[in-house]
């Protein structure tokens, strides 16, 4: 088993199915630049084989499918079908929701229990400004279809001081009305934001966020799993009844590196042990070669990836989230 000196091991795998995306969110890619579709991306079968091997060699238990945008690639259906047949304790996926509505039947048929939808605003024009594409109604329709099919939805919102701070309460209202947990992801110094004044201008941390929420709702902090990235809160109504929950992925305000169990596999076949490190470890050839070589090679790559983890806090990284899926 690959365990580091602080007791961390890999349990959660995020697989980016493709680097392609139908959005170009301002905080994710610079100047609307749509990064080139990654050449030599692994096939659905090769990525699924990677998951199987990483379950064996790294002890992966949970899987999140991500991207790029996982629903823009035809690989999604085959990959989902393959991983849903594996003995994983949890499979989920993260999408911008644009193409979600048409996939709900497949998700239900495969037995997928939950979906995370990234949504930064309920304001149609602001939506197009932040995503530089897409259409809000399609996303909302996809969310409603999931809920109607009994698939649990979580919403991920990146609060930005100059972009959507006034949407924090409308988004929370929307989520609470539908029994959806809203999770605020603190802006991360990644890609073009790693060394940019735009990060300082737009970063809205947990303290400010709680002030905004506290102006309308009472909330109290609740327990979260030891390796959870989210700080979780109950929202209380006038009679102290719990109205729902929200979470904060407080990368900056309450770093969680010391309990990080995440491992990432990119569509072009690299393992990433840490979002804050530009190190990556090529495994495409291993996934295409004989099993024995793959097991030995992956073990070596996993030790290196474990060594890339930060001890305490995320310090920023040149890696663009779009390439490895957050
Ligand atoms: N396309 C899918 C989606 O929209 O969920 C999956 C990939 S996307 C890169 C995953 C998540 O990363 C999204 O919730 C997005 O908002 C978030 N993200 C991208 N860049 C970020 C940054 N610099 N800081 C915080 N979150 C970021």
């Amino acid at each position: 088993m690959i365990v580091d000196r602080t007791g961390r091991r890999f349990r959660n795998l995020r697989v980016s199915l493709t680097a392609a995306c139908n959005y170009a969110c301002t905080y994710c890619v610079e100047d609307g630049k749509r990064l080139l579709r990654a050449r030599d991306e692994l096939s659905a079968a090769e990525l699924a084989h990677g998951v199987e091997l990483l379950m064996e060699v790294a002890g992966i238990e949970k899987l999140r499918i991500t991207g790029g945008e996982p629903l823009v690639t035809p690989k999604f259906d085959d990959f989902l079908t393959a991983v849903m047949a594996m003995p994983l304790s949890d499979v989920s996926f993260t999408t911008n929701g644009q193409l979600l509505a048409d996939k709900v039947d497949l998700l239900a048929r495969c037995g997928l229990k939950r979906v995370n939808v990234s949504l930064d605003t309920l304001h149609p024009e602001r939506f197009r400004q932040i995503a530089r594409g897409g259409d809000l109604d399609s996303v909302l329709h996809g969310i409603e279809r999931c809920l109607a099919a009994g698939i649990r939805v979580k919403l991920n919102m990146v609060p930005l001081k100059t972009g959507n701070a006034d949407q924090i309460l409308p988004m929370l209202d929307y989520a609470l009305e539908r029994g959806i947990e809203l999770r605020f992801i603190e802006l991360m110094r990644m890609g073009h934001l790693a060394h940019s004044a735009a990060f300082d201008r737009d970063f809205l941390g947990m303290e400010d966020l709680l002030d905004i929420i506290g102006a309308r709702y009472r909330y109290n902090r609740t327990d979260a799993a030891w390796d959870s990235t989210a700080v979780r809160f109950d929202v209380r109504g006038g009679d102290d009844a719990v109205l729902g929950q929200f979470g904060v992925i407080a990368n900056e305000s309450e770093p969680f590196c010391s309990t990080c169990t995440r491992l990432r596999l990119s569509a072009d076949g690299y393992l990433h042990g840490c979002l804050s490190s530009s190190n990556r470890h090529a495994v495409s050839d291993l996934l295409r070669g004989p099993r024995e070589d793959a097991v030995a090679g992956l073990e070596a790559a996993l030790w290196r990836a474990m060594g890339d983890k930060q001890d305490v806090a995320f310090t920023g990284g040149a890696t663009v989230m779009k390439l490895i899926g957050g």
Side-chain angles (χ1 to χ4, degrees):
M1 188 60 69
I2 289 120
V3 186
D4 78 355
R5 66 193 187 317
T6 67
R8 288 180 297 197
R9 65 181 188 85
F10 294 121
R11 288 176 72 220
N12 293 278
L13 175 66
R14 295 180 175 208
V15 173
S16 172
L17 283 191
T18 176
C21 186
N22 41 1
Y23 288 6
C25 296
T26 50
Y27 51 79
C28 187
V29 285
E30 201 177 8
D31 297 334
K33 189 164 77 182
R34 289 174 190 265
L35 301 179
L36 287 182
R37 194 183 178 105
R39 290 186 202 287
D40 304 325
E41 286 189 346
L42 296 170
S43 68
E46 286 164 343
L47 287 166
H49 181 50
V51 176
E52 245 177 351
L53 287 168
L54 289 168
M55 287 169 69
E56 179 186 327
V57 184
I60 292 300
E61 297 162 14
K62 296 182 176 186
L63 173 70
R64 174 174 296 283
I65 305 169
T66 177
E69 170 50 42
L71 295 184
V72 300
T73 168
K75 286 186 260 184
F76 179 81
D77 298 23
D78 287 345
F79 183 78
L80 180 72
T81 308
V83 296
M84 289 305 287
M86 295 179 191
L88 288 154
S89 67
D90 186 54
V91 179
S92 59
F93 91 106
T94 302
T95 173
N96 60 32
Q98 198 57 225
L99 304 172
L100 182 58
D102 288 345
K103 287 289 175 192
V104 172
D105 290 343
L106 170 80
L107 304 182
R109 217 169 37 246
C110 287
L112 194 89
K113 302 272 183 302
R114 57 195 190 88
V115 173
N116 282 25
V117 179
S118 302
L119 180 63
D120 294 322
T121 173
L122 292 168
H123 189 286
E125 255 168 58
R126 205 84 64 70
F127 175 94
R128 276 191 297 275
Q129 280 160 12
I130 297 175
R132 296 187 177 116
D135 149 64
L136 175 64
D137 281 346
S138 307
V139 179
L140 299 181
H141 179 52
I143 292 171
E144 297 303 336
R145 284 218 56 202
C146 281
L147 294 175
I151 298 170
R152 202 146 56 87
V153 175
K154 276 189 187 170
L155 283 181
N156 290 339
M157 169 181 186
V158 180
L160 304 164
K161 259 194 185 137
T162 64
N164 59 1
D166 62 343
Q167 289 290 296
I168 290 168
L169 288 174
M171 285 280 296
L172 187 56
D173 294 341
Y174 171 88
L176 290 172
E177 279 162 20
R178 288 163 180 77
I180 291 175
E181 182 169 325
L182 174 60
R183 303 209 305 184
F184 300 96
I185 309 178
E186 283 186 354
L187 186 64
M188 297 175 77
R189 299 170 195 272
M190 293 200 61
H192 67 295
L193 293 184
H195 307 286
S196 154
F199 176 86
D200 300 314
R201 188 194 62 213
D202 267 336
F203 177 78
L204 195 154
M206 181 159 72
E207 208 180 316
D208 289 343
L209 184 72
L210 294 178
D211 280 349
I212 293 171
I213 293 173
R216 176 166 319 164
Y217 291 109
R218 284 192 306 119
Y219 58 80
N220 57 282
R221 191 162 169 163
T222 60
D223 289 340
W226 67 273
D227 64 343
S228 165
T229 52
V231 180
R232 295 185 74 230
F233 299 86
D234 275 344
V235 182
R236 301 272 170 177
D239 53 358
D240 216 33
V242 176
L243 302 178
Q245 281 81 32
F246 70 91
V248 186
I249 317 244
N251 314 294
E252 295 276 330
S253 306
E254 276 193 32
F256 37 80
C257 298
S258 63
T259 56
C260 176
T261 57
R262 266 151 226 93
L263 173 70
R264 293 172 169 86
L265 173 61
S266 68
D268 53 350
Y270 289 92
L271 287 180
H272 293 253
C274 177
L275 281 181
S276 201
S277 164
S278 339
N279 291 351
R280 54 185 199 160
H281 309 281
V283 296
S284 309
D285 290 346
L286 295 174
L287 301 185
R288 290 174 175 141
R291 189 177 188 91
E292 243 178 60
D293 295 352
V295 167
L298 280 177
E299 193 167 337
L302 284 162
W303 278 112
R304 291 197 298 274
M306 182 59 90
D308 295 336
K309 283 198 181 298
Q310 290 283 328
D311 283 340
V312 184
F314 177 82
T315 53
T319 309
V320 179
M321 196 75 107
K322 179 172 178 280
L323 296 179
I324 52 173

